[in-house]
Structures are given as structure tokens and as C-alpha cells.
Amino acid sequence: MTRIEEQVATAPSTPSTQAAHSKRRNGYLPLADYAALGDGRSIALSGADGSIDWWCVPNMDSAPLFDRLLDGVKGGYFSITPREPFTATRHYRQDSNVFETEFITKSGRARLTEALNSGNAGRLPWTELARRIEGLDGEVRFDFAMRPSHRGDTASPYYSSIGKHTVFHVDRVLGLFIHDENVACEWSDDGVVGSLMLAKGERHTFAVVAGSDEPLVAPGIAEVDARIDTSDKEWRDWTRHVGIQGADRSVFLRSALALKLLLYSPSGAITAAATTSLPESFSAPKNWDYRYAWIRDAGYTIDAFLAAGAEAEAKAAFTWLLRQLRDYGPRVCYALTGGPVPEATFWPLPGYRERGPVVSGNRAGEQIQHGVYGDIFETAARFVNCGNILDSASAELLAHLADACADRWRLPDAGIWELEEERHYTMSKISCWQALARAVELADQGQLPTTCRDRWKRERERIKAWIEENCWSEDLRAFVMYPGSGDIDASLALAVRFGFDGHERLRLTMEAIDRTLGADAFHYRYSGMDQEEGCFLACSFWMVEAWALLGERAKARERMDALTRSLAHGCGILPEMIDPVSGDFLGNLPQGLSHLAHLTALATLDRAEDCD
């Protein structure tokens, strides 16, 4: 069992610097104690005690090689941990996704630097997890262990010799554990273990190189070590081109870097989150697999990358989205390589803090959600408004989708929250209004065929009239979640961004959201969720954005600063949800939608304050 002692430093944390403060409980760390490493193909989660507890190989949606995140006792991991009690301070390198941890023991200090490596030409054609330890002062004895996953007893890892190399196998995964010659270790079928004494000025590097059903490169440890710093340079080169300036630049860059980790570079898809089945609540079974690409996230990501000046990433994501629409039609979500999301199945793992089930696949792929129309057309409009051009095939595709939206908006759907009961959700109708409003604008700009332009405009006005007549509550002084309900829905904050309705009704709705769904700095998704789950981070960032757009810049800034303080115990990656009382992170992470909402709110604040 690894040990991590209470951190006693009094300096406050920032979103990019975290003081480690937790012990494992039944094998599990708090989710806020994890940092994310990535290479554009996979993401690893590194815990505050020096243990990699999650890494799917070779892709984000593959089965895990390390899965202690979901099985605290028997799960696989790769740990490099001081033997004696320690404190630790952790942070990402500035403007980079290379991560550092400084361990302090009674006998000395040491630094752990880690990355999923890239090369000078970008992503490597293999996965390479590199971890370097350096002695800073005195001496520190480290224990290390690399134990591949048994995948809930469905796979039995083993090792063998191939040529001069000792390799490990987990089902179809073949891997190498690489280290320098001065490190002694002991192999078994369960993995590799060892220890070393690290003195001031000494340095050792460890790495795992792995792949699935592909030839395996066997790099030297010196090459791997050098690529840690190459990767750092590549990240810093990328952030230099991010356009936002001002006081928020550092936190904007941190969220942009987290979002960049979720860009699945082989296809251009945006992964909703790097994990599966992290619970949204410890009282209700709400566990989902988010290792797929949602149309909503793709649209918001393109907008965020355009705001950041990352046009190449925006173009890749938009091209991927259009290809999926052309090949498979408008679905809620797709597999990262394209096509439908697989049906949900269950892995025989206990789950994070023994809160199963552990799910692979997602049922949302077959749902009907009208919100996809708004997301698609908002994305196209933002892309064009940055000076870009739609090709004729894409224009024709979008015109057909506008026709479909005009035909189908009267039907009920599952709504933005992917609910089992189909209803006439207000946000879904607003999304249809948004889609047709953008289609008309694109046609007027010459980007779409104008054949059905007048029809789209008339249908847009019918949707608006329907919403005004059926979805406004004089008693609540707000738009409600669906006609006839008394429920408030925080996603309606997005209506401000979309330009729906006059400001007065939207302002009153925002006040109702704050009044009924607010919990300190945070917000629940909709009425009743305070009994079932944590607060949804994206909703709170949407509220910041909405208040800024409504002209309440001081209020928006105050809200953003409160959110920043309340999330400072993490190390720069955001989850889906948070417990507003304990501050515990909940749900899958890093969560793309949380970072997207954060980026958009920061960019909106930046523009609003520039106008003051």
C-alpha cells in the first residue's frame, strides 16, 4: 500500500499547482488528486502518490492497461513512490502537459517528471509513457512497481523473452518496461517491482512502451528521456499560438491544454472524457462511458479552438463531424474512429470506491436529440464567421439537415440531458430555432443553397412562437424545462449565447436558475438533481457566460473568480461534476464539456472586459 501524508504547506493552491493532501482509502485516491497525461491517442491519469492508475492502450477507448482507478485492490498500476512518509507538491510545467511532482521526505527531496511522449514531428506511431526521477536534496528511497491489469479477471498477464528484451502481454497488448542498466528489478507474470536509493544529482528514467496487434518499437532509455523535454517543447510551441491575452491567459491555456489532450488525432474526433464509469453520485448509480465523441462537444470544441486561434484543430474536428454526418446521419455521439457507438456492456470490476457498474459503450448513441441540429449549425456558422468557406458537398449536406430540422422540431426527444422519457424539452426547441436561424444566416452569406431559405425562416418563427406560448411560466417568471412543468433547467443559460428571445425573459430565467439550482459557486443541472448527483460544472460556466452577455460583467467576473477558487484543490483538469459541500470531484475526467464551457466563459469575459 502506498502512503501519502497530509500536506502542511500553507500556501494556497492554484489551478495549475496542487498540494497533495490525501491518503488512499481502500486503494482509491480522491479524483482531484489526478493529473492527465496525453499524446493525442491515449490519456493516462497520474495520482498524487506517484501511481499511474488509468491508461487505456493503445487508444482512449481501448481496454485499460492500468485500471486501479476502477479496482483499488486488484487493479493494474505503475507506481514510483517514496518508501518513507512524504509530502508532495505537483504542477504542470508552464504552458505544457508535462507534469511534475516534488516529493519531500525526512531524508531528502526528489522530483518526478512524466509525460506521454511525442516526437519532433508530433505524435509518435507508438505509445510511450515516460517517467523521470531526479534527486534534489539528500537521499530518497523509491519503490516502483508496474503491474498490468487483469481486467476484472478476464485477462491473465504474463511476461516472456523476445530476443534480448523482456516483454509483458495482456490479451492483445504487447509491452516493454524500459529502464537504465543501473536499476535492478524483479519480473513475474504479475509485472515488475524494484527499489532504488536516489541521491542528490542522480537521475533515473522509466518507461512503458506498448501497442496492440502491431510491431513494437524498442527505444533506448536515453531516447525516451530526451523525448520528455521534446514533448514539453512541443506543448509550449502550441500554446504560443493561442490568441487570448490578459489576466485570464494562464487559466485559459490550462483548459485549452486539457482539451487538446482529448483531441483524438488519428481521426480528429473530440473525446467527451478520458474515463468510464466514474460515479456522478455515491447515492445513485449514474455511471457512464464517455470515451466517445458527442456532436455537442465537437461543436463547442471547434468554437473553443477558433477562439484560441487553433485553426488546424478546429478544421480537423469540423471535417470529422461532417464526415460522420455524411456517412451515418445526425447521431448524438459516434465512436472515435467513426461510426455508431457500441452497445453498453459491463466489465467485472468493482468501480471507483466500489461504486459500480463499470460500463463500456453508451446508450445515448441511439437516442433522438434535437439539440444536435443547433450544435451542427452553430458550429458551421462559427467556422464561416472566422473567414472560412464551406465546400459544395458540405453545403448540400447542411441544407438537407436544415430541412430535416424544419420537419421534425414538433416531435418530442430525449433532450440535452439524454433522459429516458421523451418530452417537448424547451432547450431542444430553442436548439431547433438556433439551427434554422443559423441556416438562414448561412444562406444569406452565400454559404448554403437558398432554395429553402424562406421556408427555414418561416419555420424558425413558428418555433419561437411555440416556445413563447408554451414554455414560459408567469408564476416562476422563467422558461421551464418543458411545457406544463415547474422544473428549471440550467442548460437554458445557453439560450443567451444562441441569441434567443429578448434579454428580459432570459435575464429572469437566469435569476430563476441561480435561485433554484445554485449551490454556492456551482449549479445543478435541473430541478431535483440536488438529491441525485453533484453540481454540473459546465452549467456554472454557462451562467458566467450568460451574465457577461447580458451586460452583467461584474457579476460574471465575480462568479468566475469564485469558481476558480472552489476548483483550486485540483491540478488543472476538470471533472464533470463536483460535490458543492465536500468539494469532491465526481464523474468522468478530464471532462471535455467542462473545459469547453470554461474556455467559452473566459473568452466571453475577455471580450466583454475589453469593451469596458
Side-chain angles (χ1 to χ4, degrees):
M1 176 65 68
T2 56
R3 301 176 297 277
I4 182 163
E5 300 299 315
E6 190 79 18
Q7 168 73 347
V8 296
T10 58
S13 298
T14 71
S16 60
T17 302
Q18 181 203 47
H21 61 281
S22 306
K23 296 180 180 179
R24 285 189 182 264
R25 190 168 67 185
N26 297 325
Y28 300 98
L29 286 174
L31 296 180
D33 280 2
Y34 285 102
L37 315 172
D39 60 0
R41 186 179 177 186
S42 63
I43 290 178
L45 295 185
S46 176
D49 57 1
S51 179
I52 301 284
D53 288 347
W54 181 257
W55 187 30
C56 294
V57 173
N59 302 315
M60 298 182 197
D61 58 351
S62 300
L65 176 60
F66 303 134
D67 59 358
R68 182 154 63 166
L69 186 69
L70 299 177
D71 187 346
V73 176
K74 297 168 59 179
Y77 60 92
F78 175 15
S79 65
I80 303 175
T81 307
R83 179 172 294 180
E84 62 182 311
F86 62 87
T87 60
T89 302
R90 324 174 69 218
H91 63 273
Y92 284 99
R93 285 186 177 179
Q94 184 173 351
D95 300 344
S96 174
N97 276 323
V98 174
F99 196 73
E100 294 185 342
T101 303
E102 183 174 319
F103 296 109
I104 304 170
T105 70
K106 288 183 178 181
S107 61
R109 290 187 303 121
R111 180 189 300 121
L112 169 66
T113 304
E114 49 193 341
L116 270 168
N117 278 344
S118 57
N120 288 316
R123 181 176 60 84
L124 295 170
W126 61 85
T127 56
E128 183 176 285
L129 174 59
R131 314 186 77 193
R132 173 200 296 159
I133 51 173
E134 301 169 273
L136 302 178
D137 192 28
E139 291 184 328
V140 181
R141 177 166 290 282
F142 280 90
D143 293 319
F144 61 88
M146 193 283 298
R147 298 191 179 279
S149 168
H150 286 255
R151 299 179 183 172
D153 292 330
T154 66
S156 184
Y158 66 97
Y159 79 102
S160 67
S161 296
I162 300 179
K164 63 178 182 179
H165 300 290
T166 301
V167 298
F168 64 87
H169 309 256
V170 186
D171 193 21
R172 309 303 304 173
V173 171
L174 174 67
L176 282 166
F177 181 72
I178 306 173
H179 55 85
D180 58 63
E181 295 179 355
N182 297 324
V183 174
C185 56
E186 180 180 344
W187 277 91
S188 71
D189 284 340
D190 287 331
V192 59
V193 297
S195 66
L196 60 87
M197 180 66 79
L198 188 69
K200 180 180 179 179
E202 293 182 340
R203 166 169 155 172
H204 297 281
T205 300
F206 302 82
V208 174
V209 175
S212 178
D213 287 333
E214 57 185 316
L216 194 62
V217 170
I221 196 62
E223 298 173 55
V224 172
D225 181 79
R227 276 196 286 266
I228 295 175
D229 298 314
T230 299
S231 302
D232 180 56
K233 181 180 181 300
E234 291 294 313
W235 286 118
R236 287 185 285 108
D237 286 346
W238 183 78
T239 58
R240 270 199 288 270
H241 300 289
V242 173
I244 193 168
Q245 301 299 326
D248 291 323
R249 178 172 171 79
S250 62
V251 290
F252 187 95
L253 286 179
R254 181 46 49 206
S255 258
L257 283 162
L259 187 61
K260 176 74 167 164
L261 290 176
L262 293 167
L263 179 65
Y264 182 68
S265 60
S267 68
I270 297 295
T271 316
T275 56
T276 177
S277 306
L278 296 180
E280 299 172 2
S281 166
F282 292 117
S283 60
K286 289 190 172 185
N287 296 12
W288 315 110
D289 188 355
Y290 281 179
R291 298 172 302 146
Y292 305 104
W294 268 249
I295 279 187
R296 174 192 60 206
D297 292 0
Y300 295 170
T301 298
I302 293 163
D303 186 21
F305 277 142
L306 289 171
E311 292 187 351
E313 288 80 2
K315 166 63 167 61
F318 193 33
T319 299
W320 173 86
L321 175 59
L322 291 171
R323 187 184 306 120
Q324 302 314 303
L325 293 170
R326 188 175 293 117
D327 292 346
Y328 303 102
R331 294 173 173 264
V332 175
C333 52
Y334 304 90
L336 299 183
T337 54
V341 170
E343 292 185 9
T345 57
F346 298 96
W347 292 346
L349 296 170
Y352 177 72
R353 287 175 54 179
E354 301 177 1
R355 299 302 200 279
V358 174
V359 185
S360 177
N362 198 294
R363 62 180 176 83
E366 299 302 320
Q367 284 188 334
I368 296 172
Q369 290 184 29
H370 296 331
V372 300
Y373 294 112
D375 297 333
I376 292 164
F377 279 92
E378 190 70 23
T379 300
R382 296 296 178 104
F383 184 78
V384 165
N385 290 341
C386 286
N388 301 307
I389 301 168
L390 295 176
D391 63 284
S392 59
S394 297
E396 182 180 1
L397 171 66
L398 290 170
H400 288 314
L401 289 171
D403 290 338
C405 177
D407 284 334
R408 297 172 185 170
W409 71 265
R410 291 179 175 83
L411 298 173
D413 75 328
I416 187 174
W417 301 125
E418 301 172 358
L419 302 175
E420 293 185 4
E421 185 173 4
E422 292 189 352
R423 293 184 182 272
H424 293 283
Y425 294 105
T426 304
M427 193 61 219
S428 295
K429 306 305 183 190
I430 290 175
S431 293
C432 291
W433 174 90
Q434 171 198 14
L436 296 179
R438 301 298 173 266
V440 170
E441 293 166 5
L442 290 167
D444 289 345
Q445 295 169 13
Q447 298 278 359
L448 293 188
T450 58
T451 308
C452 294
R453 182 262 184 203
D454 291 343
R455 184 225 175 174
W456 299 337
K457 182 179 179 180
R458 292 193 300 272
E459 213 66 48
R460 178 194 68 188
E461 296 308 308
R462 291 188 185 102
I463 297 172
K464 181 177 180 180
W466 191 94
I467 294 169
E468 297 282 1
E469 180 180 351
N470 294 281
C471 302
W472 176 258
S473 168
E474 281 295 335
D475 291 338
L476 295 175
R477 303 292 288 164
F479 287 112
V480 292
M481 190 173 184
Y482 54 88
S485 80
D487 294 339
I488 299 296
D489 179 0
S491 73
L492 288 166
L494 289 168
V496 181
R497 180 199 301 177
F498 301 158
F500 182 79
D501 190 49
H503 277 190
E504 187 55 32
R505 280 192 166 183
L506 291 177
R507 185 185 302 275
L508 290 170
T509 302
M510 298 308 102
E511 290 174 354
I513 292 171
D514 277 338
R515 187 170 59 250
T516 61
L517 303 180
D520 294 324
F522 302 107
H523 296 79
Y524 294 98
R525 291 188 297 158
Y526 55 91
S527 299
M529 289 301 98
D530 58 324
Q531 302 300 311
E532 295 187 18
E533 63 189 31
C535 289
F536 197 80
L537 290 184
C539 291
S540 299
F541 292 125
W542 292 339
M543 291 295 289
V544 169
E545 178 191 6
W547 283 121
L549 291 172
L550 289 169
E552 299 281 355
R553 289 185 284 276
K555 178 185 286 189
R557 170 55 63 187
E558 181 182 348
R559 298 292 185 84
M560 179 60 78
D561 291 346
L563 286 165
T564 300
R565 290 191 299 271
S566 298
L567 293 166
H569 57 297
C571 54
I573 63 169
L574 298 177
E576 181 183 23
M577 297 183 183
I578 191 168
D579 185 315
V581 177
S582 68
D584 287 344
F585 283 10
L586 299 169
N588 290 304
L589 82 169
Q591 176 75 210
L593 189 58
S594 298
H595 284 286
L596 289 164
H598 185 214
L599 287 167
T600 305
L602 287 170
T604 302
L605 266 178
D606 183 64
R607 289 191 297 268
E609 291 171 346
D610 281 348
C611 295
D612 285 348

